[in-house]
Amino acid sequence: GNPNAKIMLIGEGPGANEDQVGMPFIGRAGQLLDKMLLSINLSRENIYITNVVNYRPPENRSPTDKEIQRYLPYLIQHIEIISPKILILLGSTALNTLIGDEEVISKARGKWIEKKIGKCNTSVIASFHPAFLMRQPAQKAMSWIDLKMIKKKMLELKIKIGK
Ligand code: URA
């Protein structure tokens, strides 16, 4: 990812492929993510990608609350360092970690939330995780709505994406 990017995206945690290579979203979910980004003319050069936890939970299980809380100070510092104008949360783990536990992704997605995370004021939007979309392809229609909202916000905030 580009550390100068104005857009930051947060997933859940590395899978086996990501763990081996040390990069986020390089497996099957990552390939779908690339297509989603490309649909609004974004690529990895225009965006900074990380995960709620940056080590791989055994057996691909979701990170536990304890693991998430232990990692959270680093995630918040990470957001402060990148200082994105737009923060995209993919899936319920990222949503619950950064916005709160009362939300379900199907209700919380597709809405802008102005939020201060650490020292960073940013516009946050949650959407479906690409791994979820692979299991529930009908939800791609909702995902497309969210992607268009992100494109619109980029225009509003005059975020330029030089190639
Ligand atoms: N799923 C995630 O949430 N993050 C990755 O990096 C890969 C798959």
Side-chain angles (χ1 to χ4, degrees):
N2 175 358
N4 298 314
K6 298 285 173 271
I7 305 169
M8 184 172 185
L9 182 150
I10 302 178
E12 179 177 281
N17 296 303
E18 289 80 14
D19 197 43
Q20 230 172 22
V21 178
M23 304 246 286
F25 282 105
I26 55 166
R28 286 207 320 133
Q31 284 165 25
L32 177 54
L33 178 61
D34 281 338
K35 282 194 203 164
M36 290 160 65
L37 295 174
L38 192 62
S39 74
I40 54 167
N41 291 320
L42 284 174
S43 72
R44 304 259 174 152
E45 282 106 77
N46 324 125
I47 189 158
Y48 187 90
I49 301 178
T50 191
N51 285 304
V52 168
V53 296
N54 274 327
Y55 61 89
R56 180 177 178 237
E59 312 300 330
N60 266 345
R61 63 164 170 74
S62 302
T64 63
D65 279 348
K66 207 175 161 199
E67 289 166 339
I68 290 170
Q69 290 310 316
R70 192 162 62 206
Y71 204 81
L72 187 56
Y74 301 100
L75 180 63
I76 291 172
Q77 276 187 47
H78 208 159
I79 295 168
E80 287 179 336
I81 290 166
I82 302 302
S83 196
K85 297 215 182 310
I86 293 175
L87 181 64
I88 304 167
L89 306 177
L90 290 187
S92 55
T93 300
L95 172 71
N96 290 334
T97 301
L98 290 158
I99 300 297
D101 266 320
E102 306 307 314
E103 306 271 4
V104 284
I105 191 81
S106 56
K107 281 212 170 155
R109 55 147 286 277
K111 294 176 194 160
W112 289 107
I113 307 165
E114 300 307 314
K115 190 140 171 89
K116 189 168 190 185
I117 299 174
K119 298 188 189 87
C120 175
N121 286 296
T122 187
S123 297
V124 184
I125 190 168
S127 193
F128 291 124
H129 193 290
F132 171 81
L133 293 173
M134 292 191 305
R135 298 192 302 271
Q136 304 274 336
Q139 300 303 316
K140 286 181 183 175
M142 295 293 138
S143 178
W144 175 231
I145 292 173
D146 303 344
L147 288 164
K148 284 189 288 189
M149 287 179 70
I150 293 164
K151 185 79 209 177
K152 188 163 170 246
K153 182 68 93 178
M154 286 170 59
L155 292 171
E156 279 169 25
L157 297 178
K158 298 186 171 37
I159 296 174
K160 294 226 176 64
I161 45 160
K163 286 270 160 83

